[in-house]
Amino acid sequence: MSILIAQYLVAGVVTGCFLIVATLGFSLTRQVEGFLNIAHAELLGISAFILWSLVNLAGWYFIPSAVIAVGITAVLGLFIGRVVYDPIRKFGPAVVLISSVGVAYVLGGGLDAVVGTGVRTMDIPLATSYRFFGVRITDYQMAVIAMAAVTGLSLALFMSKTTTGLTIRAMSDNPELAASRGIDVVKTSRATWLLSSGLAGLGGVSLALIATLSTDIAFQQILTIIAVAILAGLGSLYSVLIAGQVVGIAMDMSVLWLPAGYRPLIAFALVIVVLLVRPQGLSGKST
């Protein structure tokens, strides 16, 4: 029984690492742009299927295909931000939120039209399993863990050590004050869209490594991503890292007692319980 628990714990850590990568960009958009971008999840799916197309159909190697998929997703997110969200931002976050739902359906419908329905798998070598004290983990699961660790560290360094990162932090804390101090709000917003959409692209790459792909798989992730973002609160990068692991482990460990279909329920039940005790979320700031 202890081996089984440890096995689900490892699976939860992997799920948590995917959620970290998937949620960082979502939380960044919420902090800087001031609304919940529901279409963020569809960018994961687009990145995953660009990667699938380059590897399976074009016969490219995985790593350069992943880089291209992330780059295209980042540019697409910037384009959507400028063309769709910027003109309606003046109407308030509620209008932009509702518009993002529409964008999600447009992106999802476009993906259905181009790729078609059905399940896809990446044409990559079968995962190699390793055992540590009886617990199995695959090389692809380890890749997702490494990707989350490198992404989190790189983002922390970028936000604290670069001029662009510092301006993004200033915008997220107080946009009006940042503008009054001479920060180029438009340029910073574009950098945010590129960064957050690129992070969504990385989330899509992670998804392609550990899951079979369907055109609706990305939208299925949005509720869990929102749960992680709410649990983290509006605070630091580190709160997202912790929240992702908490939700991921809780969902996968729950399979020991409940059917797998209840995993999203577990995520939101956990959020509700935590917010009853700590309404400001893990970050210590109001959600």
Side-chain angles (χ1 to χ4, degrees):
M1 184 64 177
S2 59
I3 295 296
L4 183 61
I5 292 174
Q7 188 66 67
Y8 279 109
L9 178 62
V10 169
V13 170
V14 175
T15 300
C17 286
F18 159 71
L19 289 174
I20 288 169
V21 178
T23 307
L24 282 172
F26 179 84
S27 295
L28 187 63
T29 302
R30 185 182 70 166
Q31 291 179 38
V32 177
E33 300 296 324
F35 75 101
L36 299 175
N37 181 22
I38 303 302
H40 181 85
E42 289 298 334
L43 293 178
L44 272 74
I46 289 173
S47 173
F49 273 101
I50 291 173
L51 176 60
W52 174 83
S53 299
L54 293 175
V55 172
N56 286 38
L57 304 182
W60 290 20
Y61 290 110
F62 182 88
I63 293 179
S65 298
V67 172
I68 292 174
V70 171
I72 293 175
T73 306
V75 173
L76 176 61
L78 172 61
F79 175 80
I80 294 171
R82 293 191 62 186
V83 173
V84 179
Y85 297 135
D86 282 356
I88 62 174
R89 187 184 304 176
K90 60 186 176 183
F91 298 115
V95 172
V96 186
L97 167 62
I98 295 171
S99 299
S100 75
V101 176
V103 171
Y105 277 106
V106 169
L107 293 177
L111 196 58
D112 278 332
V114 173
V115 178
T117 58
V119 176
R120 309 289 195 281
T121 56
M122 293 292 299
D123 187 13
I124 54 179
L126 294 176
T128 301
S129 296
Y130 301 92
R131 287 190 177 273
F132 299 95
F133 303 103
V135 178
R136 184 178 64 86
I137 185 170
T138 69
D139 50 351
Y140 294 148
Q141 289 177 318
M142 289 190 286
V144 171
I145 294 173
M147 191 182 304
V150 171
T151 300
L153 178 60
S154 299
L155 185 60
L157 292 174
F158 175 82
M159 297 293 282
S160 62
K161 301 296 183 181
T162 67
T163 301
T164 303
L166 291 172
T167 58
I168 290 175
R169 288 179 61 186
M171 280 276 292
S172 66
D173 288 338
N174 193 321
E176 292 78 13
L177 180 60
S180 68
R181 294 291 180 89
I183 291 177
D184 189 332
V185 175
V186 174
K187 183 178 179 181
T188 303
S189 176
R190 293 174 183 174
T192 300
W193 281 114
L194 273 174
L195 182 57
S196 62
S197 302
L199 288 168
L202 282 174
V205 172
S206 298
L207 197 60
L209 278 175
I210 61 175
T212 54
L213 299 178
S214 63
T215 51
D216 63 348
I217 191 172
F219 193 77
Q220 295 170 5
Q221 308 299 322
I222 189 58
L223 291 178
T224 313
I225 290 172
I226 291 175
V228 174
I230 292 174
L231 183 61
L234 290 174
S236 69
L237 161 70
Y238 304 105
S239 62
V240 176
L241 304 181
I242 297 171
Q245 283 299 319
V246 169
V247 171
I249 291 172
M251 288 197 305
D252 280 349
M253 292 293 288
S254 70
V255 178
L256 286 168
W257 302 281
L258 296 172
Y262 286 95
R263 292 170 78 252
L265 172 64
I266 295 299
F268 274 95
L270 176 64
V271 169
I272 291 170
V273 170
V274 171
L275 293 185
L276 286 174
V277 178
R278 189 179 177 85
Q280 66 272 36
L282 297 178
S283 68
K285 296 184 179 181
S286 175
T287 58

